[in-house]
Amino acid sequence: MFNADGDTPNLFATAIGRDFCADLVSGLVGRLDGQPPEAIARVRIFVANGRMERRLRALFAARGAGFLPHIQPVQALSTQGALAGIPPAVSPLALRLELADLISRLLERSPDLAPRSALYDLADSLADLMGELFEEGVSPDVIADLNVGDHSQHWARAQAFLGAVAHYFQGDAPLTTEARQSLVVDHLIRSWRHAPPRDPVLVAGSTGSRGATFRLMEAVARLPNGATILPGLDRDMPRAVWGRLLQDRREGLAGEDHPQFRLAKLADVLDLAPWDIPDWHQAVPKTSARVRAVSLALRPAPVTNQWRSEGPKLEELDHAFEPVSLIEAPSAQLEATAIALRLRKAAEDGQRAALISPDPKLTRQVTAALDRWGILPDDSAGQPLSQVAGGRLFRHVADAMAAPMQAELLLTILKHPLCHAAGERGPHLKRTRDLELDVLRDGAVLSQGNGVRAWAAERTDDVGAMAWADWVVDSLLHLDPGAHLSLTDRVARHIALTETLVTGSDGSSADALYAGEDGAALRRLMDELTAAATSGGAMSALDYRDFFTALADDREARKSLRPHADILIWGTQEARVQGADLMILAGLNEGTWPKPASADPWLNRAMRAEAGLRLPDRVTGLAAHDFQQAIAAPEVLLTRSLRDDETDTVPARWLNRLTNLLHGSGSTARGVLSDMRKRGQAYVAMAATLTRTIAADAPAPRPAPCPPQIARPTKLSVTQVEKLIRDPYAVYAARVLGLYPLKPLRSTPDAALRGTALHDVMHAFVAATIDTLPDSKASFAILMAATDDVLAQTAPWPAARRLWRARIAQVAEHIYQSEIGRRHIGTPTLLEAKAEWEVPGTGVVLRGTADRIDTLHGGGYAIYDYKTGAPPTAKQERAFNKQLWLEALMLAGGAFALTGDLQTHRIAYIGLGTNPKTMQHDPAPADLRLIGTQLRDRLLHMRAPDTGFPARRAMQGVWFSGDYDHLARFGEWDETDAAILIPVGGAR
């Protein structure tokens, strides 16, 4: 079948740029020409992966009715049934759980080895290292005998972890997937030596990047009736360069990042010269001149000086690169839009177009851009299970099981689309919203659930409210993280609670959680986790949360929608075995394509090379081979963005090499490069036009709403008077529209809460010493006792409590000394006194709460206000901050129900910030009359039907933000714009 003598290995290759699967089928059918139809059924083909298996079956099916060869991915050998006494492999998930348990115990004994947060990353990395040792046939003894040189400290840590898994390499140890793969391959090789198979055996599409696969390829090539077919052999690379590849690797660590290195290595092992490897299928690509140019551009770094001599000799470049365009977009968004435009054109022209990129963010942007024209691409990538609806709910439940419930997480779960999906969804969402507004944003304590049940008891018109509240409390507010439970118990609790949430308070089934393809993938994951849980040890709730999140991130769900048949999105692995009329190689920036090598916590490059393990450069070499294959397609679009979200980008090394080669190879080559860029720039220009706003809406004016008089406020607080002066629009929004900022779901130790706490402390201190102010030491004790009581109730943050307590202790002496002065002239009479007063002649009621009113010994009163920050200046007080002056007017008007001389002879702001000071005035009757006149005029102006409420009239600073700035469209105008009167509700 292969026309080879018994001594020459049967090694074949396909040309760069060819559709490998199509050539494989054509070559096999051609070699079987003249044989009976069933002859092909006796052929056994080992392929690189499952994608290639599916493509080959589709190609054979497209040829019409007939027999199929036996097609099997190489990695599937590890899952074959019992073979020559080789037991089945343990589940990869079970193995990682066992490793996580071993590492957890190791970290408990030696916490300095690694942070516990890295537990599952270490387990994954260690499992990968073990798999590599098995695949490459490297014994742990080889690793232990390495010359560590100056890496003794790091190596000591690595040895501690490797020692924990040494038993996996013993003869009676359970087999990992990689170990069983290696044993099965070695068993096949030994059996073939004694009894070579009579039927044809092929290994196709792999470059032998893994040790076990490499050994299988070598063995099959040596079979009399076997053959190994390599993809994308570079026949334009000189013989000296082929030799240089292996020489660089033998003498150092270079060479593996070249796209042809693995092909050269296999040929060398088989004692063949790469240039003598025959074609599997006699077909010459139409892009041979382009292939030669790319081959020259990708030569190893030590011989790139050959560009100078060979670059100018390249021929037919203009014809070869005419179908190649280069997009260098200013941003990733424009890159995605330009790609979408080209794919749209391909759909119109009936081209089969494939977007190839390892950047999922870019491919999602392209998919979103294609939605403009109703084109749904056939995307081979799935969505992480952690991001599908059911996966998100499982993640939220894992969070809830790991820590005390917080309001944000409770609402996140209750508002999830699958929560209460089996019951009545409408009433559930209404109760959730009301619970948020009535209870959660008032700072209710969730740990006991009493507030939730009390809220439900008050909803007498809501029949199912109490049952719903019981369901919420029992499901989510009584969770006990517990100590270290077995993983089996953790998984069972996790599944049960999630299904309870889906079932709801009045439902009966959790089927919605597992509906559709996403749900089926999620069920498979949870079933696998349940089965493997016995391999894991005891696990804390926090560790389980981290473990489940990492596991769900690593699994994918795929949707079999009805996408466009000819608009495809592939990863680089899919592109290796597929073909298309147009190939779009996108995201060609360093760090994206190729991706940087991942950090190895175990061995550096030199130690890996000494042990015979794979170098990190292998991944770069595979990506380079993918690039070399794809750029030889009939039509190619190369794309990159000049900037990402943060900084300027660097072009991918292969694109950089190609553009440098063309730029330096003479005027013709420079013209070719310029034409490539011009063709790409045309798409960038269209993308810029498409994304540019043609006719922007006119910006909103600075508003001054003018509501009818009947809707204007008739009640204001003394603090709202300052708002009325500085930002009347805020008063309009609150008092006319009835809009108030929502309270945060979780209170934070901000300035407002600190001010409230300080007021409470001073209230408690003054109330405790209202009759007699003791000496400094006793007063300090009373003040700090009051501080501790108040902070214990209002500040549930240990760090904030300590900080605020320290600040009060710092100003305690100032409080005492200033209090002596206040007690010398008066006696505390009212604390936190609330009052209302109708301002004469306005019809507006003024409300206020005085922090403290003292009766002066000489008659009259003093009004004090506590400030955590700096007190207002005299100008601010007269123009804007009139709170104490207004309270003095209220007192004089009888609002506080005091007797005697109702004149206020002193007002003072008691500043208790970092630099404590008191800002005081002794207001004269004329001052108060002036303030009263200004207040009356301001309120009459507010009530006048032809006046507006302008936004940000006199803010303390332009950088100050208001609660209603977004409603006023601030940003479309600024404070220099004139306010526009806007009639509201029928007003003129």
Side-chain angles (χ1 to χ4, degrees):
M1 179 177 177
F2 305 116
N3 298 321
D5 57 58
D7 298 327
T8 303
N10 296 319
L11 183 63
F12 300 88
T14 61
I16 288 177
R18 299 292 303 176
D19 185 336
F20 179 81
C21 288
D23 279 1
L24 177 63
V25 172
S26 297
L28 179 59
V29 171
R31 282 175 166 77
L32 294 175
D33 187 31
Q35 297 192 32
E38 68 273 13
I40 197 171
R42 292 194 291 268
V43 178
R44 185 178 189 184
I45 307 176
F46 293 102
V47 295
N49 49 52
R51 300 179 185 90
M52 187 175 176
E53 176 189 8
R54 292 190 293 272
R55 179 85 198 289
L56 287 175
R57 292 184 184 278
L59 289 174
F60 277 112
R63 297 179 68 89
F67 292 99
L68 285 178
H70 179 77
I71 307 172
Q72 178 182 17
V74 173
Q75 296 302 318
L77 287 172
S78 64
T79 61
Q80 285 187 344
L83 180 65
I86 302 176
V90 298
S91 160
L93 177 57
L95 173 64
R96 277 159 174 75
L97 287 171
E98 291 177 7
L99 293 179
D101 186 41
L102 290 173
I103 295 174
S104 175
R105 297 177 190 176
L106 182 62
L107 293 181
E108 289 175 0
R109 296 193 301 269
S110 304
D112 58 327
L113 288 176
R116 191 166 186 86
S117 59
L119 176 63
Y120 298 105
D121 289 336
L122 286 173
D124 283 340
S125 178
L126 191 55
D128 291 341
L129 177 61
M130 291 170 54
E132 189 176 350
L133 291 173
F134 285 123
E135 287 177 339
E136 304 301 325
V138 177
S139 167
D141 296 336
V142 174
I143 304 295
D145 293 338
L146 290 176
N147 180 14
V148 298
D150 297 329
H151 308 286
S152 56
Q153 184 175 2
H154 169 79
W155 180 235
R157 289 195 296 268
Q159 279 185 318
F161 288 102
L162 292 172
V165 298
H167 63 282
Y168 282 99
F169 295 88
Q170 297 174 359
D172 57 347
L175 294 177
T176 68
T177 301
E178 296 83 0
R180 192 174 195 276
Q181 173 82 3
S182 294
L183 288 176
V184 171
V185 167
D186 293 340
H187 169 78
L188 285 176
I189 294 173
R190 288 193 301 270
S191 65
W192 287 341
R193 287 173 185 166
H194 295 91
R198 299 175 58 186
D199 296 326
V201 179
L202 308 180
V203 177
S206 178
T207 59
S209 60
R210 297 177 179 273
T213 305
F214 186 91
R215 298 196 299 274
L216 180 66
M217 294 168 67
E218 178 188 356
V220 170
R222 295 186 186 279
L223 291 175
N225 206 17
T228 295
I229 303 102
L230 299 175
L233 181 68
D234 187 351
R235 298 196 179 278
D236 294 292
M237 195 159 64
R239 299 182 179 185
V241 178
W242 279 108
R244 185 65 183 260
L245 283 181
L246 299 175
Q247 179 184 350
D248 288 343
R249 182 62 184 87
R250 292 190 185 104
E251 297 177 356
L253 301 180
E256 289 206 23
D257 60 346
H258 192 274
Q260 299 291 313
F261 174 80
R262 277 149 299 282
L263 283 64
K265 182 179 178 182
L266 180 61
D268 182 66
V269 170
L270 293 173
D271 295 323
L272 295 175
W275 52 89
D276 288 334
I277 298 175
D279 286 323
W280 171 256
H281 179 61
Q282 297 296 331
V284 179
K286 299 178 181 179
T287 56
S288 56
R290 192 193 315 163
V291 170
R292 284 195 295 272
V294 174
S295 173
L296 177 58
L298 298 184
R299 287 189 187 173
V303 298
T304 50
N305 61 319
Q306 296 170 357
W307 290 2
R308 292 174 177 264
S309 58
E310 298 186 34
K313 299 178 183 178
L314 292 171
E315 299 176 350
E316 300 180 359
L317 288 179
D318 52 350
H319 176 71
F321 281 91
E322 185 178 359
V324 180
S325 304
L326 173 58
I327 288 177
E328 295 175 312
S331 66
Q333 180 185 6
L334 283 176
E335 180 187 6
T337 306
I339 293 170
L341 284 166
R342 183 63 187 90
L343 289 174
R344 177 180 182 272
K345 185 177 185 302
E348 288 182 346
D349 296 345
Q351 279 184 301
R352 178 178 170 88
L355 167 61
I356 305 168
S357 178
D359 184 358
K361 180 179 179 181
L362 177 61
T363 57
R364 286 195 298 267
Q365 287 177 308
V366 173
T367 301
L370 286 171
D371 188 59
R372 178 193 298 263
W373 304 291
I375 298 175
L376 178 64
D378 186 357
D379 192 346
S380 65
Q383 187 177 13
L385 273 182
S386 60
Q387 299 303 318
V388 303
R392 292 198 309 274
L393 183 59
F394 267 105
R395 282 196 298 111
H396 297 326
V397 172
D399 289 338
M401 295 169 63
M405 179 62 69
Q406 300 295 331
E408 301 99 317
L409 181 57
L410 178 62
L411 287 178
T412 299
I413 292 175
L414 293 179
K415 292 182 179 181
H416 190 281
L418 287 177
C419 185
H420 213 280
E424 294 187 36
R425 180 77 175 158
H428 164 75
L429 291 177
K430 185 178 186 303
R431 291 166 187 149
T432 299
R433 184 201 63 183
D434 293 345
L435 179 69
E436 174 185 357
L437 297 178
D438 300 341
V439 179
L440 301 182
R441 290 190 182 274
D442 274 345
V445 178
L446 294 177
S447 58
Q448 301 301 322
N450 296 331
V452 178
R453 287 195 168 102
W455 163 83
E458 295 175 357
R459 297 171 66 89
T460 55
D461 57 341
D462 187 352
V463 177
M466 184 56 71
W468 183 86
D470 289 338
W471 168 75
V472 171
V473 173
D474 295 340
S475 300
L476 294 171
L477 301 186
H478 287 165
L479 296 177
D480 179 16
H484 280 51
L485 300 178
S486 69
L487 181 57
T488 301
D489 291 340
R490 290 282 181 205
V491 174
R493 289 189 180 190
H494 191 192
I495 295 174
L497 177 54
T498 307
E499 291 180 349
T500 297
L501 292 173
V502 175
T503 301
S505 60
D506 53 359
S508 59
S509 171
D511 291 345
L513 181 61
Y514 305 113
E517 294 170 319
D518 292 347
L522 192 61
R523 181 181 286 277
R524 288 193 297 271
L525 172 65
M526 301 313 295
D527 289 345
E528 183 182 353
L529 182 55
T530 300
T534 54
S535 300
M539 190 175 289
S540 69
L542 284 173
D543 284 346
Y544 176 77
R545 179 196 65 188
D546 296 341
F547 162 71
F548 178 81
T549 301
L551 181 62
D553 283 340
D554 193 49
R555 301 299 178 92
E556 289 185 344
R558 299 179 184 272
K559 293 185 177 180
S560 56
L561 301 174
R562 293 185 177 178
H564 197 292
D566 290 327
I567 304 301
L568 314 162
I569 296 180
W570 294 334
T572 54
Q573 286 189 345
E574 288 86 357
R576 295 172 192 172
V577 296
Q578 305 277 6
D581 303 322
L582 167 65
M583 290 283 200
I584 302 178
L585 281 60
L588 285 169
N589 283 325
E590 201 69 16
T592 300
W593 194 1
K595 292 183 178 180
S598 58
D600 187 346
W602 315 109
L603 305 170
N604 60 27
R605 293 179 76 242
M607 296 168 70
R608 281 183 159 274
E610 184 180 350
L613 296 175
R614 301 188 288 261
L615 295 185
D617 303 2
R618 174 187 69 99
V619 177
T620 303
L622 289 172
H625 192 257
D626 296 335
F627 175 83
Q628 189 177 26
Q629 282 271 75
I631 200 175
E635 184 179 353
V636 179
L637 181 62
L638 309 173
T639 79
R640 62 176 294 257
S641 57
L642 301 178
R643 281 188 62 87
D644 59 14
D645 295 336
E646 299 177 355
T647 185
D648 293 342
T649 59
V650 176
R653 61 193 69 181
W654 313 303
L655 179 60
N656 202 23
R657 280 168 164 258
L658 180 60
T659 55
N660 287 342
L661 172 65
L662 293 176
H663 187 270
S665 296
S667 58
T668 301
R670 280 193 294 273
V672 167
L673 178 59
S674 177
D675 291 342
M676 289 168 55
R677 283 178 166 144
K678 286 179 182 178
R679 289 189 290 271
Q681 187 58 36
Y683 286 103
V684 174
M686 284 190 289
T689 302
L690 190 65
T691 57
R692 185 173 63 243
T693 302
I694 304 301
D697 294 335
R702 181 179 183 180
C706 181
Q709 186 176 31
I710 193 173
R712 292 178 179 248
T714 57
K715 287 187 177 182
L716 286 180
S717 68
V718 291
T719 54
Q720 284 178 327
V721 172
E722 180 180 358
K723 283 284 187 184
L724 186 64
I725 299 171
R726 290 194 181 276
D727 189 8
Y729 187 90
V731 175
Y732 162 77
R735 304 299 299 160
V736 177
L737 300 182
L739 301 177
Y740 296 93
L742 284 176
K743 296 179 182 178
L745 284 171
R746 183 188 298 184
S747 58
T748 57
D750 55 12
L753 185 59
R754 182 162 61 92
T756 301
L758 181 61
H759 278 74
D760 293 344
V761 169
M762 292 302 298
H763 184 190
F765 171 70
V766 174
T769 62
I770 196 167
D771 296 327
T772 303
L773 182 67
D775 59 25
S776 175
K777 184 176 181 180
S779 294
F780 180 80
I782 295 172
L783 177 65
M784 298 316 296
T787 299
D788 292 337
D789 291 341
V790 169
L791 294 183
Q793 298 176 16
T794 61
W797 311 278
R801 281 201 302 269
R802 294 184 181 183
L803 179 61
W804 293 356
R805 189 182 193 281
R807 289 183 176 179
I808 293 177
Q810 185 179 1
V811 299
E813 184 61 24
H814 172 80
I815 292 174
Y816 176 73
Q817 294 297 334
S818 61
E819 189 65 23
I820 291 176
R822 289 186 286 274
R823 298 295 178 92
H824 181 71
I825 65 172
T827 301
T829 303
L830 295 178
L831 304 177
E832 299 293 331
K834 301 180 183 296
E836 291 188 353
W837 175 59
E838 183 173 344
V839 182
T842 65
V844 178
V845 174
L846 198 64
R847 298 178 299 182
T849 300
D851 287 352
R852 173 178 171 181
I853 299 178
D854 284 12
T855 302
L856 299 179
H857 297 322
Y861 295 93
I863 303 177
Y864 300 110
D865 188 71
Y866 304 114
K867 292 290 184 184
T868 54
T873 64
K875 290 183 178 180
Q876 290 173 338
E877 191 178 1
R878 289 300 182 99
F880 303 105
N881 199 328
K882 302 173 181 291
Q883 177 182 347
L884 294 187
W885 296 87
L886 298 180
E887 289 175 359
L889 289 175
M890 295 174 65
L891 191 152
F896 290 101
L898 295 172
T899 59
D901 181 5
L902 296 182
Q903 294 299 312
T904 300
H905 297 293
R906 173 161 293 183
I907 60 177
Y909 290 98
I910 305 172
L912 301 176
T914 306
N915 298 311
K917 63 178 180 179
T918 300
M919 184 74 178
Q920 65 185 31
H921 300 285
D922 294 336
D927 296 332
L928 289 174
R929 285 196 297 272
L930 177 60
I931 294 294
T933 300
Q934 293 173 344
L935 173 65
R936 185 168 54 254
D937 293 344
R938 175 62 61 184
L939 295 180
L940 289 173
H941 182 272
M942 178 191 72
R943 294 283 300 161
D946 57 349
T947 59
F949 291 77
R952 297 179 67 89
R953 174 180 175 272
M955 301 296 284
Q956 188 169 352
V958 295
W959 60 89
F960 278 62
S961 61
D963 291 331
Y964 303 96
D965 284 350
H966 61 293
L967 188 63
R969 305 283 289 272
F970 178 56
E972 298 185 37
W973 51 266
D974 61 36
E975 285 86 350
T976 64
D977 295 341
I980 305 299
L981 201 66
I982 302 175
V984 178
R988 291 181 59 256

